Amino acid sequence: MKKLIIGILASGRGSNLQAIIDNTKKGKIDAEIGCVISDKEDAFALERARKANIPAHYIYPGTHKTFLDPECEAEYIKCLKKHNVELICLAGFMRVLHPPFLRVYRGRIMNIHPALLPSFKGLHAQKQAFDYGVKVSGATVHFVDEGVDTGPIIVQRAVEIENDDTPDMLEQRILKIEHKIYSEAIQLFAEGRFKIIGRRVIKK
Ligand code: GAR
């Protein structure tokens, strides 16, 4: 059977990308990675991709800090299409995508967020949760919609926050969970084992 082709967008060290690479190799995800794209020329994620013989592209993001300039966004879409990408996975991609991008790939873009959404959206979610004093936080994989961290939730998993935790310790524990649940969400998509009713992603 033809494998699902995923495209991964990453801005940084790419540990989630690495977990996805490893799990495709282990057969835990029935998908192949068509390409990895970064908005940062020196992102370690690009090196991880090259090491795994995956096409790796730096594409200039434009002059804005939080989103891609429209003409740059078009270049991203062109590249994803060239590699026949069917599902886009944002893995530490620190930019907001615009409606034109979302229209092309509606329902086919996932993101991982290091908190239990809808709590602690945006940047530094682990630190936000720690400083707020919650006793439980975690990680969320969700579909991307027009908002920031607002799309339908696919998989979520919790971690408890202990008295002697530090923000760094919490971040590490959440990251371990991220590495597991992103692959689970991708596999769910690959098998088409879900339906969406309103905001609810229901496993079949
Ligand atoms: C991860 O913790 C991911 O959840 C977070 O960036 C980190 C990327 O790490 N993403 C966000 O905060 C998005 N709002 P990685 O480059 O090692 O995968």
Side-chain angles (χ1 to χ4, degrees):
M1 209 173 83
K2 186 188 156 299
K3 280 195 176 174
L4 173 77
I5 302 177
I6 59 182
I8 298 181
L9 269 53
S11 300
R13 69 190 158 186
S15 74
N16 275 289
L17 163 69
Q18 189 65 54
I20 297 167
I21 292 173
D22 295 345
N23 283 332
T24 51
K25 282 191 186 147
K26 286 183 198 154
K28 288 190 179 173
I29 305 175
D30 284 321
E32 67 180 80
I33 304 172
C35 67
V36 172
I37 308 178
S38 185
D39 57 333
K40 296 262 175 13
E41 209 161 6
D42 59 351
F44 190 57
L46 291 175
E47 267 184 48
R48 292 185 194 264
R50 285 185 203 112
K51 207 167 161 203
N53 291 318
I54 296 165
H57 306 274
Y58 158 70
I59 301 182
Y60 174 66
T63 52
H64 288 278
K65 278 210 167 102
T66 51
F67 52 85
L68 298 167
D69 283 359
E71 62 277 17
C72 303
E73 203 156 46
E75 290 302 312
Y76 277 70
I77 294 172
K78 210 160 103 186
C79 181
L80 291 161
K81 284 190 170 166
K82 189 180 91 188
H83 291 287
N84 302 313
V85 166
E86 298 160 298
L87 172 70
I88 298 170
C89 298
L90 308 183
F93 187 66
M94 295 307 187
R95 285 172 194 270
V96 177
L97 301 176
H98 277 131
F101 204 117
L102 300 172
R103 271 197 294 276
V104 177
Y105 287 100
R106 180 160 301 283
R108 295 190 292 136
I109 310 175
M110 289 183 182
N111 180 44
I112 182 123
H113 185 74
L116 293 178
L117 291 172
S119 292
F120 310 118
K121 298 185 178 97
L123 295 177
H124 312 300
Q126 308 94 325
K127 178 89 170 36
Q128 288 185 53
F130 186 89
D131 289 347
Y132 197 91
V134 292
K135 302 297 181 204
V136 177
S137 191
T140 305
V141 183
H142 63 94
F143 284 115
V144 173
D145 65 7
E146 278 75 8
V148 175
D149 302 326
T150 53
I153 291 168
I154 308 163
V155 185
Q156 246 177 349
R157 199 144 306 147
V159 300
E160 295 206 0
I161 299 169
E162 311 294 342
N163 286 342
D164 52 0
D165 263 341
T166 63
D168 279 355
M169 285 159 72
L170 177 62
E171 189 173 331
Q172 287 311 313
R173 270 213 315 293
I174 291 177
L175 196 61
K176 273 194 184 160
I177 284 183
E178 292 183 38
H179 295 165
K180 291 192 180 126
I181 66 171
Y182 215 163
S183 295
E184 290 173 21
I186 295 168
Q187 182 58 12
L188 203 69
F189 189 96
E191 293 175 355
R193 223 163 19 90
F194 67 97
K195 58 182 174 182
I196 301 180
I197 302 175
R199 285 197 48 87
R200 301 184 67 216
V201 179
I202 316 269
K203 279 192 209 173
K204 287 199 239 170

